[in-house]
Amino acid sequence: MALLEVIGLTKRFGDRTVLKGIDFSLEEGDTKVIMGPSGCGKSTLLRCLNRLIEPDGGQILFRSEDVTRADTDVRLLRQRIGFVFQQFALYRHLTALENVTLALRKLKGMSSRDADAKALLELRRMDMEEHRAKYPAQLSGGQKQRVAIARALAMDPAVLFFDEPTSALDPEMSREVVALINRLRYEGVTMLCVTHDVSLARYVTAQVIFMDAGEIRAEDEPERLLSGHHDPRIREFFGNLGHADA
Amino acid sequence: MDFGRILLLLAQGAGQTILVTLACILTGLGVGLGVAVLRRLRVRGTAWLVETYTYVFRAVPVLVLLFIMFFGLPALGLKVPPMLSMMLSLGLIAGAYLAEVFRGAMDALDPQELLAAEAMGLPRWQILVSIELPQMLRLAVPGMLNEFTTVLKYSPFAYTVGIPEITRQATALASTTLRGVEIYLAAGLLYFGIFQLLRIGVRAVEKRFEIPGFGMH
Amino acid sequence: MIPESVNSSAIWVMPMLELLGFWRDLVAYGPQLVEGLRKTLVLAGSVSVSGLLGGILVFGLTLSQQPAVRRITEAWVSFFIGMPLLVLLFLVYYGLPQWGIRLSPFAVAFWGFTLNVSAYNARYLATAYRSLDAAELEAAHAQGFGASQIFLWIILPQVLRLSVPALTNQVILNLKDSSIAFLIQYTEFFAQVQELAAQNFRFFQAYVLAGLVYLALVSVIVLAARRLEARIILPGLER
């Protein structure tokens, strides 16, 4: 059964159409990566799916339930979708541990002890247990991103969304985070990842969705998209990325 | 008596309110700038004086200082006219606050630029006059406007020393007509109008000296 | 009483006797001064608390989802920031009785100050709010927090910390400004000093004494504020 099924999703900002009828689905335990040039609408798509941005038309079926309806409990939906941001977005007034426990205590009503235990478990999973008492400003970029992932995982979400999780990191830290995401994949975590990072797409060897100008142009295995694709737009995009890497 | 007539009667005090405000602002600017320069040049032997002044004059209430100047000094045989007593209290207090505003703006200057000026061989006072002060004053505009507004809002104290400004007119009118609500609302409105004038004036000066891409908004 | 001959024969004796006389009056008038000081501290303290709570409330309203609520709150804040405090106090003290509303001097001072101070505090908090990271707030939405929860646990703890210097500065202003309450017949410290001065005509000494007392009280707040700032500052959150 599909965890997430998107049918004809559209979004306009003023007279600019950012999403022109998006269709795709994500199975339980699957990982998909969305790629495409800047401004193609991929970040907007991700934000429409948990309704941080309100879509204009189409349907989003979350475990067969249409969550675009007006009576949907949006906050409950968001609690079931973990979201990891490009700029980490850690709460700067809270320690690493407190960043993870806040939602557990306030949204799930867990006691401090239970929340701490759960949060430590997640931090350990991300190799961040020893840094639990540090504030965001005292962590490196890679460490911040690992806390952010722990924060998302602690809620036991049905799916984890990543919005450019490695773009703000230097290459070495970015490799660390890619390795972590890959590990999560083998642990069976369902993930949807928007990225520019070819190595991320290649390493987690998922299905890649290629978006351009608000549309899905192709969905295929990464290797087939990355080299010599028949669509010139796709060839051009990955060709340019290749140059940027070199 | 309708609201328009009240407004008209009170407006007769507006000129004095503006006069008091400007006199205190100019006093504050003069003293504040003097303090900023003394601090920047680290003039020997002035540090303790400057620090004591800015600390004490930011700690004593305007009204207390005003009463020292206007009622206290005459008891020692020194007669101080009303306007001068406002300048020596509200004006000097504004000077202490403005000195802090200027200090903050000085701290925001780029040390590299000053190093470059030194490397060019400019004398110290020249660096101060042609680089530090012009930049600092532009950066200090928001803080200055803030302080000028504060001066305007403390200017009603002038009524306690008999200057016929807006609040003085209002208290006189209120005691004869018993229409306090309208009268003091009208007074508030006049102060708001003067505040707008002040703001427009400062913005115009700011615009006149605007440098594209430098620190202003 | 000082004999006339002493007065003229030794010039240096004069200030000494003056000071001695002032000291004697001061001791005699001590209880009233202490009572005045108590009232000053009560007024300054209570409006510091009510002004902070009011400021948080008003700041919260400026973040409302309803454009109408935001606009009204903005106008409210502008009005009380633009109005000189003294004129506001006169408006309530001398104006409201025409509608049959008579409040005690303390009540007038308390409400007048509270409206004024909470408007200022709301501004400080709003300024700090603008320096917050938008991504952080988006993350909180994405986690499923509601608007009031985000306000309480994400926004407020940060803006309060960022605003500590401005908020403590406001407490100092409250203490100093409380001296104007004597103009509406609230018998706080400065009013008692006036009484003392009027009794013996030693105006200069009395007012300088008042200035020194305020200086000392402000110094206490400054020291306390420094300790508070050092304690609650967060790594990477200082401005």
Side-chain angles (χ1 to χ4, degrees):
Chain A
M1 188 185 72
L3 172 83
L4 200 61
E5 197 167 353
V6 180
I7 307 162
L9 197 72
T10 59
K11 175 67 193 174
R12 261 193 324 276
F13 288 124
D15 52 5
R16 210 165 56 87
T17 306
V18 203
L19 298 177
K20 302 172 182 164
I22 299 289
D23 300 283
F24 79 94
S25 66
L26 184 67
E27 300 293 319
E28 302 264 8
D30 250 10
T31 294
K32 280 190 181 175
V33 169
I34 305 176
M35 299 188 82
S38 304
C40 70
K42 54 193 193 298
S43 284
T44 306
L45 172 61
L46 211 56
R47 282 166 172 70
C48 279
L49 296 182
N50 74 345
R51 291 184 54 187
L52 277 176
I53 295 176
E54 284 300 325
D56 292 327
Q59 282 187 316
I60 301 164
L61 302 182
F62 188 90
R63 290 188 169 146
S64 318
E65 178 196 338
D66 184 0
V67 292
T68 56
R69 291 161 43 133
D71 64 351
T72 304
D73 185 342
V74 175
R75 287 172 51 195
L76 196 64
L77 172 71
R78 289 176 187 164
Q79 288 178 40
R80 292 154 74 189
I81 300 175
F83 206 116
V84 178
F85 293 83
Q86 178 179 358
Q87 298 291 346
F88 328 122
L90 293 181
Y91 307 129
R92 285 176 296 172
H93 63 306
L94 301 178
T95 62
L97 183 69
E98 289 165 342
N99 257 283
V100 182
T101 57
L102 185 71
L104 294 175
R105 285 182 292 127
K106 304 298 183 184
L107 296 178
K108 286 208 161 166
M110 286 169 76
S111 70
S112 298
R113 253 182 80 190
D114 292 349
D116 282 358
K118 171 74 172 157
L120 280 175
L121 199 74
E122 297 300 343
L123 286 174
R124 197 174 307 141
R125 201 169 161 192
M126 292 289 123
D127 297 323
M128 284 299 293
E129 195 185 2
E130 57 175 314
H131 301 293
R132 61 182 177 272
K134 288 187 180 166
Y135 286 94
Q138 297 167 310
L139 299 173
S140 73
Q143 291 172 329
K144 282 185 208 169
Q145 198 56 297
R146 283 190 274 163
V147 174
I149 296 172
R151 181 174 75 178
L153 283 173
M155 294 293 282
D156 296 322
V159 55
L160 211 48
F161 284 3
F162 291 89
D163 184 17
E164 308 266 9
T166 57
S167 313
L169 301 174
D170 64 39
E172 190 172 339
M173 288 178 179
S174 140
R175 268 196 296 281
E176 267 176 44
V177 169
V178 170
L180 275 172
I181 294 174
N182 198 35
R183 206 172 76 204
L184 292 177
R185 183 165 157 257
Y186 286 111
E187 290 174 12
V189 178
T190 315
M191 291 183 284
L192 187 60
C193 180
V194 161
T195 187
H196 262 107
D197 187 341
V198 178
S199 72
L200 177 58
R202 189 178 271 152
Y203 196 42
V204 301
T205 52
Q207 197 80 353
V208 173
I209 295 173
F210 183 83
M211 271 182 78
D212 188 25
E215 289 172 311
I216 293 183
R217 294 281 284 240
E219 181 172 349
D220 213 333
E221 285 165 28
E223 289 313 323
R224 290 214 228 164
L225 283 176
L226 283 169
S227 48
H229 198 269
H230 59 82
D231 184 333
R233 269 301 281 157
I234 297 177
R235 267 207 313 278
E236 185 194 352
F237 175 74
F238 287 109
N240 286 342
L241 280 188
H243 283 298
D245 281 354
Chain B
M1 186 161 44
D2 62 90
F3 194 71
R5 175 136 181 75
I6 292 175
L7 214 52
L8 214 64
L9 282 170
L10 294 188
Q12 292 172 0
Q16 287 290 324
T17 289
I18 292 173
L19 208 61
V20 169
T21 305
L22 285 183
C24 292
I25 285 176
L26 289 178
T27 310
L29 274 180
V31 176
L33 271 177
V35 167
V37 169
L38 286 181
R39 271 181 174 159
R40 196 68 182 172
L41 296 182
R42 300 178 199 284
V43 179
R44 198 163 303 153
T46 59
W48 69 272
L49 181 74
V50 159
E51 298 315 312
T52 310
Y53 161 68
T54 52
Y55 188 80
V56 170
F57 279 72
R58 288 185 303 146
V60 177
V62 180
L63 205 55
V64 174
L65 201 57
L66 176 62
F67 278 31
I68 290 177
M69 299 300 174
F70 190 74
F71 299 108
L73 288 180
L76 301 185
L78 262 170
K79 188 117 182 56
V80 185
M83 187 61 89
L84 186 60
S85 69
M86 282 302 288
M87 290 160 71
L88 289 178
S89 52
L90 184 52
L92 288 181
I93 287 174
Y97 277 101
L98 283 171
E100 293 306 297
V101 169
F102 294 151
R103 190 223 294 265
M106 286 283 199
D107 287 347
L109 301 184
D110 179 6
Q112 293 294 323
E113 278 178 54
L114 303 179
L115 204 63
E118 244 177 292
M120 279 168 65
L122 284 178
R124 186 68 192 86
W125 66 270
Q126 189 58 256
I127 297 176
L128 183 78
V129 170
S130 56
I131 298 174
E132 290 176 299
L133 286 181
Q135 289 199 9
M136 179 281 275
L137 283 172
R138 287 182 171 84
L139 292 175
V141 167
M144 283 196 277
L145 181 58
N146 219 357
E147 189 50 37
F148 296 167
T149 312
T150 305
V151 169
L152 172 65
K153 276 184 296 185
Y154 281 115
S155 73
F157 291 171
Y159 103 90
T160 62
V161 294
I163 295 177
E165 44 70 75
I166 295 171
T167 306
R168 173 98 193 165
Q169 307 284 357
T171 51
L173 203 59
S175 62
T176 55
T177 62
L178 300 174
R179 298 280 296 276
V181 173
E182 293 94 322
I183 291 168
Y184 289 113
L185 271 181
L189 213 58
L190 284 175
Y191 281 106
F192 185 73
I194 296 172
F195 161 67
Q196 290 300 336
L197 285 180
L198 197 62
R199 206 174 57 87
I200 291 167
V202 169
R203 289 273 176 260
V205 174
E206 185 185 28
K207 191 112 192 103
R208 165 75 184 70
F209 292 100
E210 186 170 5
I211 298 171
F214 181 81
M216 295 186 290
H217 7 259
Chain C
M1 278 295 105
I2 307 151
E4 203 60 35
S5 57
V6 176
N7 230 346
S8 51
S9 62
I11 288 173
W12 59 270
V13 175
M14 184 50 194
M16 291 297 291
L17 289 175
E18 264 290 322
L19 217 58
L20 213 61
F22 180 67
W23 180 248
R24 209 174 47 222
D25 292 346
L26 199 61
V27 172
Y29 207 71
Q32 282 98 315
L33 288 178
V34 170
E35 172 60 13
L37 203 55
R38 189 188 68 79
K39 284 188 163 183
T40 287
L41 293 177
V42 165
L43 178 61
S46 56
V47 302
S48 291
V49 173
S50 65
L52 180 60
L53 296 178
I56 291 171
L57 179 73
V58 173
F59 165 61
L61 289 175
T62 60
L63 300 181
S64 165
Q65 317 271 329
Q66 311 287 333
V69 175
R70 281 203 305 271
R71 267 199 298 277
I72 293 170
T73 315
E74 283 300 329
W76 171 276
V77 170
S78 298
F79 178 81
F80 286 108
I81 282 185
M83 186 89 157
L85 184 53
L86 186 63
V87 177
L88 179 63
L89 294 184
F90 280 3
L91 171 68
V92 180
Y93 191 68
Y94 295 115
L96 290 191
Q98 85 190 45
W99 293 337
I101 305 169
R102 270 172 209 288
L103 299 173
S104 70
F106 177 77
V108 172
F110 177 80
W111 288 111
F113 270 85
T114 298
L115 290 171
N116 175 275
V117 174
S118 50
Y120 273 99
N121 283 343
R123 272 279 160 88
Y124 304 144
L125 295 176
T127 306
Y129 174 72
R130 281 197 287 278
S131 72
L132 286 193
D133 185 1
E136 224 175 281
L137 301 181
E138 198 186 18
H141 280 291
Q143 271 197 299
F145 285 110
S148 58
Q149 292 173 317
I150 293 174
F151 181 71
L152 222 53
W153 297 318
I154 314 287
I155 296 177
L156 210 49
Q158 296 197 58
V159 295
L160 281 177
R161 280 193 178 88
L162 287 169
S163 312
V164 163
L167 294 173
T168 52
N169 200 36
Q170 186 62 44
V171 173
I172 292 174
L173 288 179
N174 295 345
L175 174 70
K176 292 197 294 172
D177 286 345
S178 71
S179 59
I180 75 175
F182 98 86
L183 293 172
I184 53 164
Q185 280 72 52
Y186 180 63
T187 51
E188 45 67 76
F189 178 65
F190 195 47
Q192 299 289 2
V193 170
Q194 309 266 35
E195 286 293 314
L196 169 70
Q199 278 186 4
N200 59 19
F201 298 105
R202 292 185 173 101
F203 288 101
F204 185 75
Q205 290 90 331
Y207 293 144
V208 168
L209 169 84
L212 290 175
V213 168
Y214 283 106
L215 185 66
L217 290 176
V218 167
S219 300
V220 171
I221 302 177
V222 168
L223 289 177
R226 277 195 198 140
R227 295 192 58 167
L228 180 70
E229 269 174 58
R231 272 191 53 172
I232 67 149
I233 221 79
L234 291 173
L237 246 188
E238 60 268 17
R239 275 200 280 215

